[in-house]
Amino acid sequence: MKKLNLALAVLATSTMLFSCGEKKADTTTTPTETPAEAPAAPEEVTGVQITINAGDDMKFDQSEIKVPVGEKVTLTLKHTGKMDKAVMGHNWVLLKPGTDMTAFATDASQAADTDYIAAKDADKVVAHTKTIGGGETTTVEFTITEAGTYDFLCTFPAHFAMMQGKLIAE
Ligand SMILES: [Cu+2]
């Protein structure tokens, strides 16, 4: 008798599973709506695409970047080296005009816990990537709303003297 109950229970469960499966099969019709969203994709591509490379030689391959005011900028930082993030980490940090870069970098170099941006200086940052190691790539999106010249740097300890440049928004 117990066995029979069990068998029924199993049967009931499998029927439930089956009906669940059927429901799922029904919902698979909805993803056909995605092509309707596709026209939005070209819009995502608009804006400015910038790629900056930095390797184990502790250098950005660009010291000056020009961007248009009010347009979305997608900046990709590529670490073209092989060294580990702990030894040769790189990031790309864009500062608000008027920020004391040396003071900022000094605080940042001691802020490993917050990915090399001192929490107290967060309001001095316009945009920044995370810190990456050899072979890694990271991207940040931002829009400059005020024309001007902005400093960028890598805040990994002892890198900013070698790794800095200007972003000109016009
Ligand atoms: Cu660096």
Side-chain angles (χ1 to χ4, degrees):
M1 193 58 180
K2 261 193 173 177
K3 264 187 186 172
L4 189 76
N5 279 343
L6 192 71
L8 278 170
V10 170
L11 193 75
T13 324
S14 59
T15 320
M16 274 164 66
L17 281 174
F18 187 69
S19 54
C20 278
E22 269 186 320
K23 264 185 195 165
K24 265 187 188 168
D26 281 347
T27 55
T28 51
T29 51
T30 42
T32 46
E33 284 168 29
T34 42
E37 288 169 34
E43 241 177 276
E44 288 290 315
V45 182
T46 61
V48 183
Q49 313 284 322
I50 292 167
T51 300
I52 298 185
N53 300 296
D56 293 337
D57 57 352
M58 215 196 288
K59 278 179 189 165
F60 286 127
D61 67 347
Q62 287 161 72
S63 56
E64 192 179 291
I65 300 168
K66 282 189 179 171
V67 303
V69 172
E71 262 192 66
K72 190 175 87 178
V73 178
T74 304
L75 184 137
T76 300
L77 172 66
K78 278 188 189 173
H79 193 317
T80 55
K82 289 193 168 73
M83 290 169 77
D84 192 83
K85 178 181 159 182
V87 185
M88 185 55 72
H90 295 316
N91 61 14
W92 185 89
V93 180
L94 185 65
L95 299 178
K96 286 186 181 166
T99 302
D100 180 337
M101 192 199 276
T102 305
F104 181 91
T106 303
D107 291 342
S109 67
Q110 291 156 19
D113 290 348
T114 47
D115 203 27
Y116 301 107
I117 291 175
K120 71 179 184 74
D121 292 335
D123 62 336
K124 293 169 181 156
V125 175
V126 178
H128 71 93
T129 69
K130 61 176 185 168
T131 304
I132 55 172
E136 293 184 307
T137 295
T138 184
T139 296
V140 63
E141 286 182 1
F142 58 91
T143 303
I144 302 287
T145 52
E146 273 181 63
T149 301
Y150 298 71
D151 289 319
F152 67 80
L153 72 156
C154 170
T155 61
F156 192 82
H159 282 205
F160 88 97
M162 289 276 287
M163 300 185 71
Q164 58 174 275
K166 306 270 185 204
L167 178 141
I168 299 158
E170 51 193 15

